[in-house]
Amino acid sequence: MDKGKILIAYYSRAGSNYVGGDIVNLAVGNTEVAAQIIQKLTCATVHKIDTLKKYPIDYHETTEVSKKELKQNARPELSSHLEDVSGYEVIYLGFPNWWGTMPMAVFTFLEEHDFSGKTIVPFCTHEGSGMGSSEKDIRRVCPGATVMQGLPIVGGSVRYAEDRIREWLGLPHR
């Protein structure tokens, strides 16, 4: 596939995060680490999904805000927007698992575009909850897209996941 026709769109949160049972400060969020690995292996275009209003610095406060957003089916405003997805055939969509699905900002991103005829390949970071309902949710929000089986990566191990990601991408081992 033409590498120019692949997009990696992801949401990631650096700073105070839950990793392996502890709250740790991450300079780079776990999902961003996975997106960087995928970009290195595919040379795809990258788009970071981010919110205009930042989440609290404290991890526990962020979880409360994200739980409220989920209950309200909120669509947080994004700080940047991708002009057009028509030139992409495959979209690798990355996010942390928040309350069993994607952060609501990812829903905002998906609803801004028409993914009909596109292939969406989700990947998520988590600390025990896997993909949750995110694949089903993507299918609901993007009914004209083909949604492939996603790759759940335990956040605490993402920095060592290149071989697993390479295998998931169908690339030969190093």
Side-chain angles (χ1 to χ4, degrees):
M1 176 168 298
D2 178 0
K3 292 176 181 173
K5 297 187 180 206
I6 302 172
L7 173 69
I8 301 164
Y10 72 94
Y11 176 85
S12 189
R13 183 175 178 278
S16 178
N17 277 273
Y18 180 80
V19 177
D22 294 317
I23 304 300
V24 298
N25 189 36
L26 300 176
V28 177
N30 290 327
T31 306
E32 185 167 354
V33 171
Q36 290 171 346
I37 293 169
I38 294 168
Q39 199 284 325
K40 179 179 103 173
L41 295 172
T42 64
C43 299
T45 302
V46 176
H47 174 73
K48 184 172 184 177
I49 302 166
D50 205 0
T51 55
L52 190 60
K53 182 179 178 187
K54 300 302 176 203
Y55 289 95
I57 293 170
D58 180 77
Y59 169 78
H60 296 291
E61 290 177 26
T62 292
T63 64
E64 290 305 312
V65 170
S66 65
K67 185 189 328 184
K68 183 178 176 184
E69 287 178 347
L70 179 63
K71 283 183 178 181
Q72 295 175 346
N73 200 28
R75 295 299 185 265
E77 188 175 348
L78 302 181
S79 61
S80 66
H81 303 273
L82 194 61
E83 288 290 319
D84 185 16
V85 297
S86 64
Y88 300 105
E89 294 176 10
V90 175
I91 294 88
Y92 288 99
L93 182 67
F95 48 86
N97 182 323
W98 283 7
W99 300 107
T101 191
M102 307 169 286
M104 300 313 287
V106 178
F107 284 86
T108 303
F109 170 78
L110 291 173
E111 290 172 354
E112 284 185 344
H113 302 284
D114 179 4
F115 290 96
S116 297
K118 310 288 182 203
T119 299
I120 300 175
V121 189
F123 63 97
C124 84
T125 55
H126 67 94
E127 288 298 323
S129 51
M131 295 298 295
S133 66
S134 59
E135 292 162 320
K136 177 182 67 136
D137 293 337
I138 296 166
R139 285 184 186 94
R140 180 176 43 82
V141 174
C142 305
T146 300
V147 180
M148 304 301 288
Q149 182 173 352
L151 176 67
I153 306 166
V154 174
S157 68
V158 72
R159 284 157 178 75
Y160 312 103
E162 183 172 332
D163 287 341
R164 186 162 174 236
I165 291 170
R166 179 182 288 279
E167 182 177 319
W168 176 68
L169 292 169
L171 301 173
H173 289 283
R174 298 186 258 173

